[in-house]
Amino acid sequence: MALPEASAWAILIGVVLVAAVVGFRPLLARLAARNIGRRKSRVLIVVAGLLVGTAIISSSLVVGDTLSYIFLEDVYARLDAIDELVSNTFNGQLISFSETNFTQIRADLGTAGSPIDGIAPALLKIMPVRNVAGNKGNQQISVMGLNATLESGFGSLTTVDGRTVDTNDLAPTEVYANERAVADLNATAGQDLTLFYGTTNQTIVHATLAGVVRDAGKAGYEGRAILFMDLSRAQAAFNESGAINLIRVSNVGGVADGVAYSDRVTHDLRLSITTRNLALLVQTVKADDIASALQVGRDATDLFLVMGAFGILAGVLLIVNIFVMLAEERKPELGVARAVGFLRSDLLTTFALEGTFYAVVAAALGALAGLGLGYIMVYFFDKLVPHGDVVVTFHFDVSSIITAFVAGTALTWITILLASWRVSRLNIVRAIRDLPEPGTPERSRDILVAGLLVAAGGLALTAWGFATDTGMGKIPGPPVLSLGLGIAGASRGWARSAMTVAAAFNLAWILLPFTLLNQATDNVSIAFVLVGVILVGSGILIAVFNVSEALRAVLRRANRGAGRPVLKTAISYPMDKRFRTGMTVAMFALILFMVTLISMLQGLQAASLDSFVRQQSGGYDVIAYTTAYGEIPNFRQRLQENFSESLFAGGWNGTSSASVMPAKIQAVGGNRTYDYTLWGVDNFLIQSNQYDFTSFLPSYINASSGAREALVTREQVWLSLRYNHTLAIVDRTAAGPNQFVPDESRLRVAPGDGIRAFDAAGRTVNLTIVGVLEQALQFTSGVFVDQSVVRGVFPVEERYTAYFFQMAPGVDVDAFRTDLERTFFVYGLRTIDIREQIGQAFGASQEVLTLMQAYLGIGLLVGIAGLAVITLRAVVERRTQIGALRAIGFTRGMVLATFLVEIALIAVLGIGIGVALGIVLAYKIYIVYFADIVVFSVPWPNLALIVGVASIAAVASAAQPAIRASRIPPAEALRYIE
C-alpha cells in the first residue's frame, strides 16, 4: 500500500473511532470538551508546542519534494527527448566509431519493433572558440554535428524570434549557436567565429554565425554552450570522415513518459550491439538521472528529518510534560470522578479525547506551518547554496502534507495515550486529598521487574551488536543494560547513586575514543540519533539526581543574606518535581546539542581551511590544464617569452607540468577495474611539490645504480619516481580515507602493492606503490608516476597536460590567470586558483550548516513552550505557597526573583548539557575520524551567541507568568481554591 493511501486510511479509521466514542459515551466527550474550554490561553500554548514536531516532519517532506522536482525538471531540460545514449567511451572520453554502426543498430531496432520514435547520430566535440569581431572566446564550447534528415524524433531548433530551423538550413561554413554559447562568445548573427580543434596537431575551422537558437529542446543538451553544424560538414572539418561518437535514442511517449520503455529499448540496443560485435555501450541516461534526482529528494528528506529528529523528540517530551501536569492539576477532580463511579478506562478515554483534539488541531496547523517553513528553507537554499544552472522552484505534493498530518497526529496521540494510562493509575483517596503517591513494596517490586526487563533487553542488544558487528546493537546495547541495572538499583532505594553511575557509564561508552560504527553496513543517520539521545539522556540523569545536592551544599556554605532564601526556595521546587524538570531540561538539551554540534563542525572546517589548502595544493597556487587531448608545443619556451620570472616563487623552477592520462587501474591479483587518472609528473614537480605522505616503503631499488636506497624523507619518496619508473604514488582515496562511509567503488592499495594501468587499446604499464599521500586530493587525485612513463607508453592523443605554478608573494593571481588563459587560448588552457576554489566550496558548506542551524533553532520553540507551560502551572500550583511567602516577609521582588531563578536553573541546565555534550562529541568525532586532516577548534563566539539567544528566549518566555505571580496579593493567594 502506498504511503498516501495508507495515510488516507489512517485518517478515515481515526475519524470512525472518535465518532464511535463520542456516539456511545457522550458524557466523556462533554467532559473532554469542558476541560478544553476552561483555559483557552493554555490551550493555545499547548497547541503551539505540539505543532512543532509536525511542522518539522512536514517541512522535511516538502524540502524533499522541491529538490526532487527541481532536479527532475533539470533532467528533462538537459535531455529533452533523449532516453538512451550509445557510445564508445573510455574514462568519460568519447571515442569516434563508424557511422555504419548507427545504420546497423537502427535497422535492428526496426526489425525488433522497439518502442522508439527517434534515433539519430551526432559528432560531439569540445574546443576553444573565439568570436573574431567581439574579441571574446570560451575554451569549452561544444560543437555538435547533426543530420537533420534523421532528427524527426528530437524536434527542430527554434530561433530566438520563433522560427523553426535545423542544420540542413545552414550554408557550408555556417553554424547555429544556442543562447549559452552566444552569451559566452558575445556574438551576434553574421559574425565570424574561429574554432580551434586539437592541441598538438591543431585544426583551425572558420565559421559564420547564421542565427541564435533557444536553449530548449535538443539545444539545451546537458546545459552546454553549443554550436550546431551539419554532420557531414563537422566530419570534414574535424578530419572524422564517416565517423560519429554518439547515437541518441528517443523512446515513444513524451519527455517524461518515454523512460517507461527504457528497459525494453536498452535490451534491444544491447542485443544488436552484441550480435554485431560492436565496441559500444548503452547508457540509460534519463532513467539514471531521474533515479539520481529522486534520490536527492530522499536524501534531503532524510537529512532534514535526522536534523529535526531532536526537535521531534523534544515535542514528544513536551506532550508527556503537558499531560502529566494536566493530571496533577486535575488530580482532586479525577479522584472525585473515580469515587462517583468512573472507571480507569473512563479517565483514559476522557484524556484520550482531549488529547485527540490537541493532536488533530496541532497536526493540522503543524502541517501547514511546515509548508511555510519548507518554503523558507527552499528560498534560502536558492540564495545561499550554489546550484549551477538548476532553476529552483518551490513545489510540494499534497500527499506529503497529508502524510505529515497523519504522522504528527499519530505521534502526538500515541504519546498522549501512554501519558493518559499513567495518569489513570491513581489512588482515589490520595487523589481527592491531592497527596503524593507513597512508595510501597508492590511499587518497588514493579520497578525492579521493569529494570531487569530493560537490562535483559540491553544485554540482548549488546550480544546482537557484537555478534553481527553492527553499531545498531553496540551503540545502544550497553547503555540500555546499564540503565536497566540503574532502575533495578533505584527500586532498592539507591536511586541517586545507581542512576548516576549508569549515566556516567553511558557517557563514557559513547565518548571514549573508539568507534562503535560499522562503516560498511550501519545507517549513519539512525546511529547519530541514538548517540545524541543516549548522551543527552545520560547528562540529564546526572544533572537531575545531583544538581540539587550540589546547590544545597553551596548554599550551606554561603553567607546568610537576602539572596539565600530566594535561592533555597528557587531550587527546591524543580528538584522536588524531578520528572517534570528532567523533561523540560531535555527539550533544551536535545536542540542545543545538535545546534552546538553543527557549530563545532563549522568551526572545525573554518579552522582547517589553511591546512586543507596546503595539503590540497602541494605548495602550488594555480593549476592550468588543457581542455583537449594533446600537449601544448614548446609550452615552457612560450611561457618564458610572455611572462616574467619574478612572478613565480623560485623563478622558473616554480613552474611544473604533468602529462595526464585517464586510465583503467587494476590491483594485482584483483579482478575489479577502476577509472583513474595517471599523472606523469616532470622533474620540476618532483622536486618542488609539498605533498606529504601518510605511509611509504622503507626503501627502493635505484634502477640506474641497481642499489637499494633507504626512504626517510618525503623528498626521497618523490625522487624515487625519477630513479625507478616502475614506482607510483597514490593519494589517500586509494587507501581508505578517514570518513564515515567509505567509497567501496574506489581502489584500495597500500605501499608495496602492485597495480596495472592500461588504456582502451590495451597498452599497459605495471607499477608498485611506493607511497600514499596524507590527503585525498580534490584537484589532482590519482596515481603519480614519472612523466616518461606516461609519454613512453601512451600516445599523445590519449593524454592532456596540466601545469602547476607557485606564485611569488604579492602577485595578482587573478591577473596572472587571465593573461595565461589569453596567451594559450587556442589550446583551450583553463586555470584554477586552488585557494579560491576551496574557499568557495568551504563557503557553500558553511552556508548549508548555517541553514541547518536555523532549521534546528525552530526546535527551541518546543523548549520555550515547555518552559512557559511549566511556569504557568507553577504559578497556579503554588499560589497558596506564594501567599505564605509574602505573609512571612518575601517582597514582590523576592517572589519574582524566585521564579526567575527557577527558570534560569532549568534553562542553564538544558543549555549547558546540550552545549557541553555537543563539544565533547565533536572532539570524539575529530579524534576518531579526522585528527590527521583537520585542526580542532572551538568556535567560542558562535557558541556564546547560541547560548545567549537561547537563554534570553527561555527567560523571556516565562517572565510574564513570573511577574504575575509576584503581584498576587497575599490575602487573595491564601484564600485561593482552584
Side-chain angles (χ1 to χ4, degrees), residues 204-515:
I204 298 177
V205 179
H206 299 282
T208 301
L209 181 58
V212 181
V213 298
R214 295 173 180 168
D215 291 335
K218 63 187 178 187
Y221 177 67
E222 291 292 356
R224 300 180 184 220
I226 307 176
L227 300 182
F228 293 94
M229 306 174 67
D230 181 71
L231 179 59
S232 59
R233 159 72 171 149
Q235 290 170 333
F238 305 131
N239 304 314
E240 297 268 10
S241 180
I244 57 175
N245 58 12
L246 202 61
I247 297 174
R248 296 162 297 138
V249 181
S250 173
N251 302 343
V252 296
V255 171
D257 302 332
V259 73
Y261 298 97
S262 193
D263 289 343
R264 165 74 189 282
V265 174
T266 301
H267 173 270
D268 293 342
L269 286 168
R270 287 173 176 162
L271 181 62
S272 173
I273 290 169
T274 303
T275 302
R276 296 184 179 275
N277 198 28
L278 304 177
L280 301 174
L281 293 174
V282 181
Q283 295 173 272
T284 54
V285 285
K286 185 169 287 181
D288 293 345
D289 285 1
I290 287 174
S292 297
L294 294 175
Q295 187 60 47
V296 167
R298 287 191 291 269
D299 290 344
T301 298
D302 290 346
L303 174 64
F304 278 84
L305 281 175
V306 169
M307 296 295 103
F310 295 92
I312 295 171
L313 288 172
V316 170
L317 298 179
L318 176 60
I319 297 167
V320 173
N321 227 0
I322 286 171
F323 274 80
V324 168
M325 285 190 297
L326 287 176
E328 290 179 358
E329 177 182 326
R330 301 173 190 167
K331 199 171 181 181
E333 177 185 325
L334 296 176
V336 172
R338 288 280 284 121
V340 298
F342 271 57
L343 302 176
R344 284 180 175 174
S345 60
D346 295 331
L347 298 184
L348 178 62
T349 304
T350 304
F351 264 96
L353 286 173
E354 182 181 352
T356 300
F357 170 81
Y358 293 137
V360 171
V361 173
L365 294 176
L368 295 176
L371 192 62
L373 176 59
Y375 177 84
I376 293 171
M377 298 302 294
V378 170
Y379 174 82
F380 283 104
F381 173 86
D382 184 27
K383 299 298 181 184
L384 300 177
V385 181
H387 49 79
D389 294 329
V390 178
V391 179
V392 176
T393 305
F394 181 69
H395 173 85
F396 68 92
D397 294 330
V398 175
S399 61
S400 294
I401 305 302
I402 295 173
T403 300
F405 169 76
V406 172
T409 303
L411 184 68
T412 305
W413 199 66
I414 291 170
T415 308
I416 287 170
L417 282 181
L418 293 175
S420 300
W421 174 80
R422 180 180 182 273
V423 167
S424 66
R425 295 172 59 83
L426 52 80
N427 181 279
I428 297 174
V429 175
R430 290 194 179 91
I432 294 173
R433 294 180 177 178
D434 197 15
L435 298 175
E437 296 287 335
T440 63
E442 293 80 9
R443 184 176 177 84
S444 297
R445 186 170 58 250
D446 290 344
I447 294 174
L448 176 61
V449 171
L452 293 177
L453 288 175
V454 171
L459 185 61
L461 269 175
T462 303
W464 171 67
F466 281 95
T468 59
D469 189 26
T470 173
M472 299 300 101
K474 289 192 287 186
I475 291 173
V480 171
L481 173 60
S482 71
L483 181 63
L485 294 176
I487 294 172
S491 70
R492 304 292 91 187
W494 311 320
R496 182 186 171 202
S497 57
M499 299 305 290
T500 300
V501 170
F505 170 81
N506 293 352
L507 290 176
W509 179 255
I510 298 297
L511 293 176
L512 285 177
F514 53 80
T515 179

Side-chain angles (χ1 to χ4, degrees), residues 101-124:
N101 293 165
F102 160 74
T103 305
Q104 294 167 335
I105 291 173
R106 183 176 63 166
D108 290 342
L109 294 186
T111 302
S114 195
I116 67 170
D117 56 19
I119 180 169
L123 184 64
L124 181 64

Side-chain angles (χ1 to χ4, degrees), residues 557-776:
R557 291 167 174 76
N559 294 327
R560 295 183 179 273
R564 193 168 184 272
V566 169
L567 292 175
K568 192 169 184 179
T569 306
I571 66 172
S572 62
Y573 185 78
M575 294 306 136
D576 184 54
K577 305 288 185 179
R578 284 181 175 174
F579 179 82
R580 184 188 302 180
T581 302
M583 294 292 102
T584 310
V585 169
M587 295 177 207
F588 279 96
L590 284 168
I591 304 301
L592 267 298
F593 166 76
M594 194 63 223
V595 172
T596 300
L597 193 57
I598 291 179
S599 183
M600 288 296 299
L601 292 178
Q602 282 184 306
L604 289 175
Q605 191 181 67
S608 303
L609 178 59
D610 290 338
S611 172
F612 192 74
V613 169
R614 184 182 66 254
Q615 292 173 335
Q616 288 288 327
S617 67
Y620 297 99
D621 301 290
V622 176
I623 298 176
Y625 59 94
T626 53
T627 56
Y629 283 77
E631 295 182 353
I632 299 177
N634 305 314
F635 175 82
R636 187 169 285 272
Q637 177 184 336
R638 295 189 184 189
L639 185 71
Q640 294 175 1
E641 291 172 353
N642 289 277
F643 295 88
S644 169
E645 184 177 10
S646 62
L647 290 172
F648 311 107
W652 298 120
N653 289 336
T655 66
S656 312
S657 69
S659 297
V660 187
M661 162 73 190
K664 300 287 186 182
I665 300 290
Q666 274 187 346
V668 173
N671 55 9
R672 292 191 63 179
T673 300
Y674 306 90
D675 291 336
Y676 247 79
T677 302
L678 209 56
W679 294 81
V681 296
D682 67 4
N683 288 333
F684 293 100
L685 194 146
I686 286 175
Q687 295 181 35
S688 63
N689 83 80
Q690 300 298 315
Y691 292 121
D692 210 340
F693 294 88
T694 186
S695 61
F696 51 83
L697 292 176
S699 63
Y700 79 106
I701 301 296
N702 187 321
S704 58
S705 65
R708 178 171 291 279
E709 298 182 4
L711 295 174
V712 179
T713 65
R714 53 167 298 279
E715 291 82 4
Q716 291 173 330
V717 180
W718 278 106
L719 283 170
S720 70
L721 300 184
R722 181 196 298 180
Y723 299 120
N724 189 328
H725 293 172
T726 67
L727 298 180
I729 291 168
V730 294
D731 74 315
R732 190 73 172 271
T733 58
N738 285 337
Q739 52 190 350
F740 284 109
V741 184
D743 184 0
E744 297 299 331
S745 66
R746 301 293 291 180
L747 175 70
R748 291 288 179 259
V749 292
D753 291 346
I755 60 172
R756 184 172 72 93
F758 56 95
D759 65 3
R763 302 179 186 91
T764 302
V765 59
N766 293 313
L767 302 164
T768 300
I769 304 302
V770 67
V772 177
L773 298 180
E774 69 174 351
Q775 182 62 278

Side-chain angles (χ1 to χ4, degrees), residues 64-131:
D65 287 345
T66 297
L67 293 182
S68 291
Y69 174 79
I70 63 177
F71 284 108
L72 271 177
E73 291 299 306
D74 181 62
V75 171
Y76 298 143
R78 289 187 295 103
L79 296 177
D80 193 53
I82 298 173
D83 291 293
E84 294 85 29
L85 291 175
V86 180
S87 61
N88 181 11
T89 61
F90 187 83
N91 273 21
Q93 174 71 12
L94 290 173
I95 300 173
S96 298
F97 53 91
S98 173
E99 192 173 358
T100 58
N101 293 165
F102 160 74
T103 305
Q104 294 167 335
I105 291 173
R106 183 176 63 166
D108 290 342
L109 294 186
T111 302
S114 195
I116 67 170
D117 56 19
I119 180 169
L123 184 64
L124 181 64
K125 301 290 184 180
I126 301 175
M127 63 194 69
V129 176
R130 175 175 286 158
N131 174 12

